[in-house]
Amino acid sequence: MAQSSDTPSADAPETVVVTSHRVACEGVGGALGHPRVWLEMGGAGFVDCPYCDRRFVAATAAGADEGSAGH
């Protein structure tokens, strides 16, 4: 069965609940991290990091950003 790109799957290695629809990810940091990337969720309510596959899931509705949340 194909998965919709608008629906989070359980395949993410780590899921992080955030309060902003714009998040920064730099992996686990230090030598094991990756360059900092800023990710936008849009209307989906979640976004996956293209480097480490972490999934960031919004705790709030789209458009209700409370500032930028880094990880």
Side-chain angles (χ1 to χ4, degrees), residues 16-63:
V16 181
V17 178
V18 295
T19 58
S20 175
H21 284 251
R22 182 173 190 254
V23 295
C25 184
E26 51 193 24
V28 293
L32 300 176
H34 58 69
R36 178 180 287 180
V37 291
W38 288 93
L39 308 167
E40 293 279 344
M41 290 184 199
F46 73 97
V47 66
D48 294 335
C49 176
Y51 286 98
C52 65
D53 293 328
R54 272 188 181 152
R55 173 157 294 146
F56 295 91
V57 179
T60 59

